[in-house]
Amino acid sequence: MGRSGSAPSSAGKRYTSQPYLQAQIVHYKPRVSVLDKELTTVSYHGLVNFLLLLLSATLVRLAIENYMKYGILVSIPGASVESRDWLMMLAGLLAVLASLLAAYAIERAAIPATPGRRCAQGSPLPEAGIAIEDRRTLKYHIANLVCMLVGPSCITYFGIYQPALGTLVMASACIMFLKLYSLAATNFDLRRAFRLGDTRMDSDPMCYSRVVRGQLVIPGAGGERLPPAPHPSNEPSRRPIPTATSASFSQNARALDDSIVSGNDRTDAKADALPRPRLRNRATTASEVLRRVANSASPEPGAPWATSTANRAQSEDRAAVGSDDELYAAGPRRRRGSGGRPARDTAEDAADPCTASDGPDQDATPRAAPQVSRYAIHYAVAYPDNVSLGNFGYFWLAPTLCYQPSYPRSASPIRKSFLAKRLAELVIIGLAMHVVIQQYAVPTLAGSVQAIDTRDGFWLSERVLKLSVISAIVWFLGFYAIFHAGLNALAEMLRFADRAFYLDWWNSVDLAAYWREWNLPIHYFCKRHIMVPLVSTPLSLPVHVGVLLTFLISAIMHELLFGIPTHCLRGYSFIGMMVQIPLIQLTQWLVRWRGPESGLGNAVFWISFCIVGQPLGVVQYYHTWVKNNP
């Protein structure tokens, strides 16, 4: 068969004859090098693959070297733990649980006999100050919180030899301490609103309070009239508050925040967790700030907290979040308020001069870009109906540190396959961490003890750098196990719908962004119960003072969490947390100097945490524990 009609072969490309082949133009336009930062269209996928393969080969080599030097060091988990440690651990966990029951008894005894009655706008509100009963309740809560920390701490420090079991007890105690603090603080506000008859949670006298010569002055408590509340349809007077610059946030957070600020609050589940990279506005009243942390779920019709003001935001809440049945467990559509009396609807409120709304209800027509109300406080469970063992027990198990009478609930049943995957990940990752710690971390730490005793700086630096790889692996495995597998499994069993437990902290351009994004339950707690009360009335402290006190409290909790189980109360964790403040300033200065795209702030973050900070802290704690327990 002839080849004249066949297509030209792709293997040999034919070139047409050109004149003066040696003088053809090669450089005909301006171009930049491929690795130049101005060229943003180049993919580094191949280099990333090579680096991952190189890291894998290095880890395999280290595993072979470790086996040749030490053999198999892994033992059955818990085999070497004495029975006394198990018993003391059980005693510590029971002490933590007892504090929850004590908090429930305190709250039951603190329920007022009768609710207050909301009066017309501008008239003095009865019992605007802190009631004597609430002062006594606060003393009981403080005593319970102190006993809850002191009891497990003494049991751990004097009775538990194994640091892993002691860490479990202290972690449970610290988590319960934060939960009970949130429970007491939230119910304090709910009980105060109940006494004032403020069913709509929008007339808090504390918003206008001030401290004069060490005394709290609250308008309305002494007969003076309260300032008129802003009309719902009018924009309240606002003033900017200082916030971090846009360089303080990761690229993904800033991109998502742009869509949030433009009006779509439901773009992502991370919306409420993201800090905003521009000057935000805050209402002059403290209630506006406190309402910002309220849950975005829409209330059930007829719920006592959902009368009047809920109708103004109900349409957009439903359009953005879903129906009530999708958010809350099935229950009576008409809940009863205190004393068994059905909650009044909007028409009844309008007819009563003492409960009349501040203005006409807004149009319920859904808007084109609906938003979830950030300031309206309305729950599906009213105070004091939330003071029950079932409600407090759910909060004890819920993957959050901020108490609410009700939470968004998923309408779908528990996904068994999803739950099985998360539980399997917990078991597998737990075993992997046990193997890595015993087989690789312990021999490296044993060498670090000798390096510290001989004061050999080069040897100690080599131990720290070698441990950094192991520490980073354990840290990443622990993060995934706790914040993704563990909290998602717990949320699935409880049908807890808010699954935003962390953000993309690995892209943090500075340390401030990391502390906001890597642990959202702690971030929410610090913001709601520490920062906002400190910078709001009546204290009105500067923002930098609130940041300092927040890190101080966090440093104390870290020292209790790591120092007591290792019997090493030398302030290593405390100093490590307080050093974060100058490091935050350093990374933010680097970002302002070189820009967020330079990666300098991100590099300082990785060096301070994974390469130097954590390994050095582990070496110090292990050295002290070995010397105290020969």
Side-chain angles (χ1 to χ4, degrees), residues 107 110-112 115-116 134 182-201 204 290 294 305 377-387 391-392 403-406 528:
E107 286 296 327
I111 297 177
D134 277 344
S182 177
L183 186 147
T186 304
N187 278 290
F188 174 81
D189 277 356
L190 295 177
R191 185 167 52 252
R192 188 155 50 89
F194 184 76
R195 280 200 176 96
L196 296 174
D198 186 12
T199 58
R200 294 178 302 188
M201 301 287 287
D204 186 5
L290 291 177
W305 300 111
I377 302 178
H378 43 72
Y379 296 113
V381 181
Y383 184 87
D385 296 336
N386 65 304
V387 183
N391 188 281
F392 287 10
Y403 174 74
Q404 295 179 186
S406 61
R528 186 194 197 198

Side-chain angles (χ1 to χ4, degrees), residues 346-463:
T346 308
E348 293 173 346
D349 286 340
D352 192 339
C354 285
T355 58
S357 61
D358 297 332
D361 288 347
Q362 301 299 308
D363 187 10
T365 304
R367 293 176 292 182
Q371 272 190 303
V372 174
S373 176
R374 288 181 176 270
Y375 300 104
I377 302 178
H378 43 72
Y379 296 113
V381 181
Y383 184 87
D385 296 336
N386 65 304
V387 183
S388 63
L389 279 177
N391 188 281
F392 287 10
Y394 184 89
F395 171 61
W396 171 43
L397 298 175
T400 180
L401 299 177
C402 293
Y403 174 74
Q404 295 179 186
S406 61
Y407 294 94
R409 304 283 293 275
S410 58
S412 59
I414 297 176
R415 297 170 292 176
K416 296 181 180 179
S417 60
F418 178 86
L419 181 60
K421 289 178 182 179
R422 301 288 84 81
L423 294 178
E425 289 173 349
L426 273 177
V427 175
I428 294 173
I429 293 177
L431 293 176
M433 293 174 62
H434 175 73
V435 171
V436 170
I437 291 174
Q438 284 207 333
Q439 186 68 36
Y440 301 100
V442 172
T444 305
L445 289 171
S448 67
V449 173
Q450 301 177 15
I452 295 177
D453 291 339
T454 58
R455 300 183 183 276
D456 191 335
F458 286 101
W459 191 10
L460 179 60
S461 300
E462 186 272 338
R463 293 287 94 183

Side-chain angles (χ1 to χ4, degrees), residues 128-349:
I130 300 178
I132 298 178
E133 296 82 0
D134 277 344
R135 297 177 187 176
R136 183 168 58 247
T137 301
L138 288 176
K139 294 178 181 178
Y140 291 156
H141 274 300
I142 292 174
N144 183 40
L145 291 174
V146 171
C147 293
M148 200 274 302
L149 272 186
V150 172
S153 298
C154 293
I155 292 174
T156 302
Y157 192 83
F158 297 106
I160 300 179
Y161 170 79
Q162 180 58 246
L165 298 184
T167 302
L168 176 62
V169 173
M170 289 308 303
S172 302
C174 291
I175 291 174
M176 183 61 77
F177 176 86
L178 299 179
K179 281 179 174 282
L180 292 187
Y181 182 91
S182 177
L183 186 147
T186 304
N187 278 290
F188 174 81
D189 277 356
L190 295 177
R191 185 167 52 252
R192 188 155 50 89
F194 184 76
R195 280 200 176 96
L196 296 174
D198 186 12
T199 58
R200 294 178 302 188
M201 301 287 287
D202 60 354
S203 300
D204 186 5
M206 283 290 186
C207 299
Y208 312 99
S209 62
R210 61 187 185 275
V211 177
V212 179
R213 297 180 180 179
Q215 298 293 326
L216 181 65
V217 178
I218 305 178
E224 51 183 317
R225 298 174 66 85
L226 287 171
H231 194 281
S233 60
N234 297 332
E235 183 71 15
S237 59
R238 298 178 181 272
R239 58 184 176 89
I241 62 174
T243 58
T245 62
S246 61
S248 302
F249 309 103
S250 63
Q251 301 297 319
N252 292 350
R254 296 209 312 273
L256 179 60
D257 187 72
D258 290 339
S259 62
I260 296 170
V261 175
S262 63
N264 186 5
D265 259 349
R266 303 302 299 177
T267 302
D268 193 274
K270 302 186 295 184
D272 287 338
L274 287 173
R276 302 202 170 192
R278 61 186 67 183
L279 282 180
R280 292 178 293 178
N281 291 328
R282 183 181 67 181
T284 54
T285 60
S287 61
E288 293 292 317
V289 179
L290 291 177
R291 290 168 188 173
R292 185 176 179 81
V293 300
N295 190 276
S296 60
S298 58
E300 291 185 2
W305 300 111
T307 56
S308 186
T309 55
N311 294 332
R312 294 195 289 265
Q314 195 171 22
S315 59
E316 53 261 41
D317 286 353
R318 286 180 175 176
V321 184
S323 63
D324 299 328
D325 293 333
E326 293 175 352
L327 294 170
Y328 297 99
R333 305 302 295 171
R334 179 80 169 180
R335 296 181 179 268
R336 291 184 174 270
S338 60
R341 184 175 56 87
R344 293 179 297 183
D345 55 14
T346 308
E348 293 173 346
D349 286 340

